[in-house]
Amino acid sequence: MKILIVDDDPFAGEMASVILESDGHDCTLVESGLAALELLGDDSDGFEVIISDMNMPLLSGLELFRELRDQGIATPFVLLTGDDPAPLHQQEPRLEACLMKDASLEHRLPSLVEHL
Amino acid sequence: MSNPSSKPIQESAAKPPESFQARKAKLRQLFLSQLPGRLADARRVVADWRGLEPDRTELEALRVLFHTLKGSGATFGFQPIADRAQDAEHAVRQVLEDEETTTAGTLRNTLTGILDDLEHLQRTAEGQAAPDPPPAFELAPREPHPERGSDRSQRLIYLCDDDPALAAQLAGQLGCFGYRVQAFTTLTELAEAVTQETPAALILDIVFPEDSNGGPKMLSELTGRGEEDLPCIFISCRDDFQGRLQAVRAGGSAYCTKPIKTVEMLEFLDRLTNPNPPEPINVLVVDDDQELAQFHATVLEEAGMVAKAVSDPEQVLELLDHFDADLVLMDMYMPECSGPELSQILRQIPGHVSLPIIYVSSETNVERQHQAMAAGADGFLTKPIEPAQLVAEVNLRAERMRILHSLMVRDGLTGLFNHNAIMQFLEIAVANARRADAMLCFAMIDVDHFKAVNDTYGHPTGDQVLMALSRTLRLRLREDDMVGRYGGEEFAVVLNGVTLAQAKDIIDDLRNSFAAVTFYADGQEFRCTFSSGVSDFPTFATPDAMTEAADRALYQAKHSGRNRVEIALADPSASAEDDTFSAHRQATDAATTDADQRSHDGE
């Protein structure tokens, strides 16, 4: 699957892409919400899933998600956060999933993407 | 940061070079190794507060730092680190949300305590996380170039040094230039490998833990076993006479002192392993006796050199424009213009200051010989001269001058022309283009997000990127294009006889091949891109104008998203634009640095 990963922390972003690539997915990593918007603006890119960090400067993961939906881009969107994911998901139920950043990401992320 | 194609670190898709576990382990290791730096940053901010109230920007930066630490710490399974980072984040957030209750002093004490804990946790984790130091050669980049046209690529080099870090680094760098390098840390392993397959050359350390003269002894042993023609370069911290003497006695072909200069090492390796003869030496023979000039030229030609004979000193300058002479052989007494006079003329032309000049004369008075040389010559040969002696003298001097010259005008890391040399070439090229009414282009090239590469993978890896780019430029450009390192991660190319459109195509091609190069560092793959600005003559009529225009176009390329080539357009209001441009450039610089900084320091 063609996956876009958005994270301004290169370690976390790299780790997510390592996890997903080991499952055979094709990952592209960008370091800001703006970069993601620009990339998704070209229809040619055809990403099937977007996985984004919540806490980023300028444009948070949630703002990115809303901006995309406003633009009519309905690509499934998974939000990663260092904080408790439950309130965030409540705040934005349209999110496909909201996951806590921790060691179990290694298992949960691939199975989540599998079921999208 | 706004264009996805510009990102410096690109995971290559779909084809993981190593197992997931291995890649994860490397990432974890990298995270841990960069953690002390981040903690030190936080400590510096906190220490600076003293009695002062911290400002919100600083607090916000700290909050982001701890938040990021929490996220990646948790992702990599360092739960205690993540927990403590979360405590710190909460403490900072509390102050941010309610400034009244907590003082700077309290916060400082809390954070200092947490930073102590984090540092301790980092050390503990590092002890546990590094059970298997990777073998030295696994760190070496594997054939970073897709094209295999290189004549070096098949040349196998064995490198033996008991310091695995040094061995890996050197192997990596030489690998960038197309050598196939295998690194060993013990002499036993090396001897074993030589039995299996004979390399094109050896690089051997002198001092080994078991024997301060281990390297030379090993070479003697190998030679004794019948590996007579094995060229060997010794590397050593020792720069004393005894060390060098032992190396020479053991049959070493070259000697490099540590720290190793890669370009110097490459010069040796190229020479030792190159089966093709080097470029023939070019000699210009000036003698008013036309027959003698022709005779000397013929003698030199028969020895494999390229020689041109000229009997009229007036023709020398024009000839040198087209004939790239390594050396001038000059009669001392010529009726129209004496040898010393001609030498002085040549020495007053910047391009010919270092051109070796040797007088040929029947003058035997040593004092007069010296006087003549004072005008700027490098040697003296007495007529009549035996053909064999002429060849030997010319060979000797030209070879040495070539080496000296290349060390003088070349950049130490990349082997490209250095800043001064490339600017001088541009000056000459502009003058030639003006005289011949020819086309000429000048391109400035800058590696995108180079700082991020250095920050993420370390300077040795950054250096490898620069070397790989220089190699791409050198291999792919035409013979008469000049490539130089303008400074830092900036390169300059002088393209003779091409239109602006052709120049853009050429640089665009280079850009695409460079972007396709995969680099390996610490087991991770990444890619780099570059941006470029191109200007042309005569739209920009002076070297300065061309440089400035290309620089301006380069910034435009950077600004429009990087990984692209922009051409400099003639600007009727150029002078009015200048101020806006420099102001704009400063602003862009600041913005870029901030963005790069932020994305690597945390969320």
Side-chain angles (χ1 to χ4, degrees), chain B residues 157-326:
Chain B
I157 309 291
Y158 287 163
L159 165 66
C160 190
D161 194 305
D162 56 303
D163 175 355
L166 187 138
Q169 193 193 335
L170 189 57
Q173 298 199 330
L174 297 176
C176 273
F177 286 89
Y179 282 102
R180 198 149 55 91
V181 185
Q182 274 186 35
F184 305 93
T185 51
T186 69
L187 289 166
T188 330
E189 285 173 337
L190 173 75
E192 176 67 21
V194 173
T195 323
Q196 304 284 327
E197 188 182 355
T198 311
L202 285 180
I203 300 172
L204 260 182
D205 192 10
I206 301 258
V207 182
F208 281 84
E210 67 272 21
D211 187 339
S212 67
N213 199 24
K217 278 188 190 157
M218 173 51 65
L219 181 62
S220 305
E221 194 187 312
L222 290 173
T223 317
R225 269 178 13 196
E227 306 279 358
E228 282 99 355
D229 297 327
L230 198 52
C232 177
I233 301 175
F234 282 108
I235 52 178
S236 179
C237 312
R238 287 179 68 173
D239 196 15
D240 59 296
F241 187 77
Q242 281 306 320
R244 287 178 176 270
L245 180 62
Q246 277 157 359
V248 167
R249 282 190 180 155
S253 324
Y255 193 100
C256 297
T257 48
K258 296 178 187 175
I260 306 294
K261 296 190 197 74
T262 311
V263 170
E264 186 183 280
M265 175 69 82
L266 279 166
E267 294 267 326
F268 287 133
L269 275 184
D270 282 352
R271 196 133 35 93
L272 291 174
T273 65
N274 192 348
N276 310 312
E279 284 268 293
I281 292 166
N282 292 346
V283 184
L284 182 64
V285 185
V286 191
D287 199 313
D288 62 316
D289 180 342
Q290 201 171 351
E291 271 171 40
L292 191 61
Q294 197 49 58
F295 172 69
H296 284 159
T298 310
V299 166
L300 295 173
E301 294 259 355
E302 272 171 9
M305 302 181 202
V306 177
K308 278 206 158 74
V310 53
S311 54
D312 179 3
E314 266 196 69
Q315 292 175 1
V316 167
L317 288 187
E318 205 198 318
L319 238 159
L320 283 175
D321 269 352
H322 309 286
F323 184 63
D324 185 18
D326 288 298

Side-chain angles (χ1 to χ4, degrees), chain A residues 7-12 14-22 24-32 34-36 38-39 53-58 81-84 100-106, chain B residues 1-4 7-14 16 20-21 23-24 27 30-31 34 38 63-64 67-68 70-72 74-77 79 86 89-90 93 456-457 524 598-600 602-603:
Chain A
D7 201 324
D8 66 325
D9 173 11
F11 287 112
E14 209 83 78
M15 184 62 193
S17 82
V18 166
I19 291 172
L20 291 165
E21 274 177 22
S22 75
H25 296 294
D26 180 358
C27 296
T28 303
L29 182 59
V30 295
E31 296 188 13
S32 78
L34 290 177
E38 217 163 284
L39 190 57
D53 183 32
M54 171 62 197
N55 245 288
M56 296 184 294
L58 296 177
T81 173
D83 302 305
D84 185 3
M100 172 94 173
K101 275 187 176 178
D102 63 25
S104 69
L105 220 51
E106 215 177 279
Chain B
M1 284 279 120
S2 59
N3 190 309
K7 73 200 143 63
I9 303 140
Q10 211 166 17
E11 276 295 323
S12 94
F20 165 65
Q21 287 304 336
R23 295 179 71 192
K24 185 179 119 181
L27 269 178
L30 194 65
F31 168 78
Q34 295 198 355
R38 296 209 223 175
R63 193 193 64 76
V64 164
H67 179 86
T68 309
K70 177 179 75 174
S72 32
T75 309
F76 290 119
Q79 205 51 50
Q86 178 163 24
E89 193 201 349
H90 279 176
R93 189 185 282 162
T456 312
Y457 301 104
Q524 295 175 71
R598 190 176 50 239
S599 66
H600 285 272
E603 278 190 31

Side-chain angles (χ1 to χ4, degrees), chain A residues 8-78:
Chain A
D8 66 325
D9 173 11
F11 287 112
E14 209 83 78
M15 184 62 193
S17 82
V18 166
I19 291 172
L20 291 165
E21 274 177 22
S22 75
D23 256 41
H25 296 294
D26 180 358
C27 296
T28 303
L29 182 59
V30 295
E31 296 188 13
S32 78
L34 290 177
L37 279 179
E38 217 163 284
L39 190 57
L40 291 161
D42 309 1
D43 286 345
S44 52
D45 285 291
F47 287 101
E48 294 158 88
V49 184
I50 299 162
I51 294 173
S52 172
D53 183 32
M54 171 62 197
N55 245 288
M56 296 184 294
L58 296 177
L59 197 68
S60 78
L62 205 55
E63 286 162 346
L64 171 65
F65 169 77
R66 291 182 173 153
E67 182 61 34
L68 287 174
R69 290 297 183 265
D70 285 350
Q71 288 184 17
I73 298 170
T75 316
F77 197 103
V78 176

